[in-house]
Amino acid sequence: MAHIDEAPRATKPGEEAVAPPQGREKKLPGRDRFTVVTMVTIPLLLVVALVWVPALLSVVLSFGKWNGFGDLDTIEWVGFQNYRDIVTIYPAFWPAIQHNLIWLAFLFFLPTLFGMFLAVLLDREMRGSRIYQTAFYMPVVLSLALIGFIWQLFYSRDQGLINDIFGSQVDWYGDPDINLWAVLVATAWRHTGYIMLIYLAGLKGVDASLREAAAVDGASEVKTFFHVIFPVMRPINMIVIVIVVIESLRAFDLVWVVNKGRNGLELIGALVAQNVVGEATRYGFGSALAVIMMLISSVFITVYLRNVFREERRG
């Protein structure tokens, strides 16, 4: 609610100035109040119905065994048995954790840094900048499933472009020793353009006087970027880190298209799909895997929100 601050004023010559009553609030008209309440209530209900309710039901279902057939009273409640089975006797779990961590490190150190490098180059208004921006951003509009099919043209053992050039017979998608890296390269093709666009937007918003001041002080372009521009883009950096973490944890489409997340391509997201919508139909077990993935995500989200709130308090 808006507060109206008014300076003390004298009504007639010789009278003392009288301060207006403090805390007086301006009330919105009825139509505006209805609009505000509607704009808050509808998104809130959608978030609760589509995010929080399914998440809480997944947590509840993770403590039971259910194959999806029969009524809900057929659920057998087993406590933490699903979680114990996942970490002790489920062979795909720890490789999936390892692969998700590799996914995270790869996205952060290669396509993210390369995307930032491309953004710095394109921000220099070089000739054909718009064409390069479009070319690098084009893979972002494609789904990961479609990207998997496109890269099949490169990776195919019998008719793939890479094997034709080098005269080899490498099974890039089928060999469990290399298929994860082949998929990561395909993912990087899309991720680089995404990060480039975010950093390019951030660079366009940096105050030009900062660059001019650094140039007057004799700083090189490299020093200007790392000591002046990069710290100014701290909010952009935080957003990029969150995006990289989320992309790494929810990685699913590409490995599912290749081999349904098996034989060297185990990921947490693929394991959830295998147990919930696959042949196993173990809803309780799959829900326990989803809860584990949600808890891992919560750690990074908590760190991000803590930094955001700290910045707001400083501001």
Side-chain angles (χ1 to χ4, degrees):
M1 303 292 286
H3 293 268
I4 299 176
D5 297 329
E6 297 179 357
R9 63 179 183 275
T11 54
K12 294 180 180 179
E15 292 184 355
E16 294 183 357
V18 179
Q22 296 297 319
R24 189 150 57 96
E25 297 179 345
K26 180 180 179 181
K27 292 184 178 179
L28 293 174
R31 178 178 296 179
D32 291 346
R33 284 205 303 271
F34 175 77
T35 303
V36 172
V37 171
T38 303
M39 293 178 65
V40 172
T41 303
I42 292 178
L44 180 63
L45 291 177
L46 289 175
V47 169
V48 170
L50 300 178
V51 177
W52 287 106
V53 170
L56 292 176
L57 291 178
S58 295
V59 174
V60 173
L61 198 55
S62 69
F63 296 106
K65 285 186 177 180
W66 190 44
N67 59 7
F69 298 100
D71 297 331
L72 295 179
D73 56 5
T74 60
I75 298 176
E76 178 186 356
W77 300 106
V78 295
F80 289 92
Q81 183 63 46
N82 287 329
Y83 293 96
R84 283 194 292 269
D85 291 345
I86 287 173
V87 298
T88 56
I89 63 174
Y90 190 43
F93 175 69
W94 291 110
I97 292 289
Q98 181 183 3
H99 294 162
N100 274 101
L101 291 176
I102 293 174
W103 202 288
L104 172 63
F106 180 88
L107 285 189
F108 182 78
F109 287 108
L110 289 179
T112 298
L113 297 182
F114 187 55
M116 184 170 63
F117 174 71
L118 291 176
V120 173
L121 288 181
L122 295 176
D123 186 51
R124 298 165 60 90
E125 300 296 341
M126 56 191 299
R127 179 177 298 179
S129 175
R130 299 289 183 185
I131 298 175
Y132 293 133
Q133 290 179 34
T134 304
F136 286 121
Y137 187 71
M138 188 66 72
V140 180
V141 303
L142 304 177
S143 69
L144 282 173
L146 181 57
I147 289 175
F149 287 119
I150 292 175
W151 278 84
Q152 178 69 27
L153 302 174
F154 295 88
Y155 288 144
S156 175
R157 182 178 60 184
D158 299 325
Q159 301 175 344
L161 179 63
I162 297 177
N163 284 334
D164 281 346
I165 292 176
F166 294 101
S168 58
Q169 286 291 319
V170 179
D171 189 358
W172 297 96
Y173 275 165
D175 189 341
D177 294 328
I178 59 173
N179 57 3
L180 178 64
W181 301 104
V183 170
L184 284 173
V185 171
T187 303
W189 182 57
R190 177 179 183 272
H191 188 76
T192 300
Y194 190 22
I195 299 299
M196 177 208 71
L197 192 70
I198 294 175
Y199 270 115
L200 191 58
L203 288 169
K204 297 294 184 188
V206 174
D207 190 349
S209 63
L210 295 176
R211 289 189 175 92
E212 295 171 0
V216 170
D217 292 339
S220 64
E221 291 193 13
V222 175
K223 280 190 176 181
T224 301
F225 177 76
F226 284 107
H227 295 281
V228 178
I229 306 301
F230 191 73
V232 169
M233 292 197 303
R234 179 182 172 84
I236 300 295
N237 296 329
M238 291 300 302
I239 292 174
V240 168
I241 291 174
V242 171
I243 289 175
V244 171
V245 171
I246 292 175
E247 288 285 325
S248 305
L249 291 176
R250 74 182 186 92
F252 162 75
D253 318 52
L254 198 50
V255 299
W256 192 260
V257 169
V258 174
N259 63 4
K260 296 188 182 301
R262 298 186 176 92
N263 193 31
L265 290 180
E266 295 86 357
L267 295 173
I268 297 296
L271 298 186
V272 174
Q274 289 173 12
N275 286 278
V276 174
V277 300
E279 298 175 355
T281 62
R282 296 186 294 180
Y283 286 90
F285 197 82
S287 297
L289 284 165
V291 170
I292 291 174
M293 188 167 66
M294 185 168 62
L295 291 176
I296 296 174
S297 305
S298 301
V299 173
F300 294 98
I301 293 172
T302 302
V303 172
Y304 168 72
L305 292 178
R306 183 181 177 185
N307 284 316
V308 169
F309 292 145
R310 183 183 299 170
E311 291 294 329
E312 289 182 351
R313 284 196 297 270
R314 289 177 181 174

